[in-house]
Structures are given as C-alpha cells and as structure tokens.
Amino acid sequence: MAELRRQDVRPEVLEENGLRFDAGGHETAAPAAVAAVMTATAVFNFAGADLAQLPTWIFSSWPCL
C-alpha cells in the first residue's frame, strides 16, 4: 500500500478491480509443479538418464522460461 501512496494511487483501486497479491491454491500449485518437473529433469540429466532427453528438449524450447 505504501508504494501505491507513493505513486499517488488510491489503495482502494486494487480491491475495486479485484486484484490481490496473496497467492494461494492453484496460483501456487501450477508454478510449483513446473518447478518440480524441471528439477526432476535436471536430476535425470545429471544422472545421464535417457529418460531426460524429451523433457530437456521441451523445456529448452520454451523461450519464456
């Protein structure tokens, strides 16, 4: 809220537009699941497992990651 005041924005604007900054539920589960899959892929890569080739190709193809 202090940042909103610093920018001369009413703090009520967030509530009026349905914005919240308290992530929970699916907002946390989806990024956590992607991180878990990427971590498992890295572990398999370090172990030299052939199983990691496809997920490595998929994740290295995503420019946003």
Side-chain angles (χ1 to χ4, degrees), residues 26-59:
H26 70 283
E27 298 159 339
T28 301
V34 170
V37 170
M38 292 180 80
T39 301
T41 300
V43 168
F44 286 131
N45 270 322
F46 283 125
D50 291 335
L51 177 68
Q53 289 179 352
L54 180 61
T56 298
W57 179 78
I58 292 170
F59 284 120

